[in-house]
Amino acid sequence: MKRALATLLFIVLFLVGSAQAEGYTQIDQETAKEMMVRDDGHVIVDVRRQDEYDAGHIPGAILIPHESIGCDSPEALPDDDQIILVYCRSGNRSKQAAQKLASMGYTNIYEFGGIITWTGDIVTTEEEQKTRMNIRIGEQEFIATLEDNDTARAFAALLPMELRMTELNGNEKYHYLMSPLPSAPERVGHIEAGDIMLFGDDCVVVFYQSFDTPYSYTRIGKINNMKGLADALGDGDADVGFEQSGICHLRPHSPV
């Protein structure tokens, strides 16, 4: 009896030790959904193949195929402390990928299974490209999700373009377009870092600090990956390139 109890205790300790050694947290998909709506700088990582990702993925997820994860940290994940939500098709590759990322030193990894049981939104790459925009500042690139409104669609129709944006108040950059855009101003109250807004009908504003405001804006979109945005924009004026998702090279667009 004592031998059986000792064996059972050994197995329990082994399993606990193994779970701790994994270095990541396994969560259910409802918890993952709750985490995805938080403004905490998280990133969603799809570790399937390119063709699987293109056919349908969770909105905003970036693709880092499991097979591509080796010994070096992926370039798309520069922050070891960033919250990383990992999934695959059925939950097998995501666990392996989470383990590999943990072994590299990533500290906030959450694995939530496979897309085959996902009950939230799913988009194809083609669909997502219509709602996403790349923003280039110097050597850095950021990704924004466009709003579903006439203002965002009119702005997207101007892409690609490069705007010389003027510094204002230590929290935003702005540029006046030569032609007005359709607008539907609303009192937003609180501005979040990463918001892209239209002030009036011709002033495009990119906010890099959060603050409360009494003014009305029309929403154009939201920058998803905020890390490094304020540093990239700098203290003074900045040249900011806007382009449709999937376009590799920016060409100046005028008049803007």
Side-chain angles (χ1 to χ4, degrees):
M1 182 67 178
K2 291 183 178 180
R3 178 176 295 180
L5 288 174
T7 302
L8 179 61
L9 178 60
F10 172 80
I11 293 173
V12 170
L13 291 174
F14 174 79
L15 292 174
V16 171
S18 297
Q20 292 175 340
E22 286 174 350
Y24 67 88
T25 303
Q26 188 171 0
I27 58 176
D28 60 41
Q29 297 191 340
E30 290 305 312
T31 301
K33 289 178 188 177
E34 294 172 3
M35 295 179 69
M36 288 177 189
V37 301
R38 298 174 189 166
D39 185 18
D40 53 13
H42 68 265
V43 61
I44 308 168
V45 177
D46 187 321
V47 297
R48 296 174 298 157
R49 302 187 310 270
Q50 181 74 59
D51 61 313
E52 296 175 289
Y53 177 86
D54 291 342
H57 56 270
I58 295 173
I62 63 172
L63 176 65
I64 305 179
H66 166 251
E67 296 80 4
S68 72
I69 303 175
C71 298
D72 298 325
S73 300
E75 292 184 3
L77 301 174
D79 185 356
D80 292 349
D81 297 323
Q82 185 176 28
I83 295 173
I84 303 172
L85 304 172
V86 186
Y87 76 94
C88 64
R89 189 189 75 86
S90 63
N92 183 30
R93 283 172 288 178
S94 56
K95 290 181 177 61
Q96 296 179 48
Q99 175 65 78
K100 287 195 282 186
L101 291 173
S103 68
M104 295 177 194
Y106 290 95
T107 59
N108 286 309
I109 306 167
Y110 296 86
E111 188 275 330
F112 63 96
I115 199 170
I116 58 174
T117 55
W118 180 252
T119 58
D121 292 338
I122 294 176
V123 295
T124 67
T125 296
E126 183 177 355
E127 290 171 337
E128 194 167 53
Q129 284 181 346
K130 295 177 182 178
T131 63
R132 295 179 73 174
M133 175 172 62
N134 292 347
I135 299 175
R136 297 183 186 274
I137 308 170
E139 297 299 318
Q140 292 189 252
E141 180 175 307
F142 303 87
I143 298 174
T145 300
L146 291 166
E147 291 289 315
D148 183 16
N149 59 38
D150 290 341
T151 306
R153 283 186 282 272
F155 184 80
L158 297 174
L159 306 182
M161 61 183 172
E162 184 170 284
L163 305 180
R164 181 69 175 176
M165 305 199 76
T166 303
E167 170 66 29
L168 182 65
N169 298 329
N171 52 38
E172 63 191 85
K173 308 282 189 185
Y174 72 91
H175 178 94
Y176 281 100
L177 302 173
M178 294 186 64
S179 300
L181 297 178
S183 61
E186 59 175 311
R187 186 67 60 85
V188 296
H190 182 72
I191 293 288
E192 292 287 344
D195 281 343
I196 305 171
M197 300 285 199
L198 184 70
F199 183 68
D201 60 5
D202 61 353
C203 183
V204 177
V205 187
V206 175
F207 294 93
Y208 58 89
Q209 298 287 349
S210 300
F211 68 102
D212 294 326
T213 177
Y215 299 111
S216 298
Y217 296 88
T218 305
R219 295 184 180 275
I220 294 176
K222 173 78 172 182
I223 297 173
N224 302 330
N225 52 331
M226 285 294 302
K227 183 177 174 59
L229 177 63
D231 290 339
L233 287 169
D235 296 327
D237 298 349
D239 292 319
V240 182
F242 300 84
E243 58 189 49
Q244 295 169 345
S245 178
I247 294 178
C248 297
H249 301 289
L250 178 72
R251 67 175 187 275
H253 180 101
S254 61
V256 291

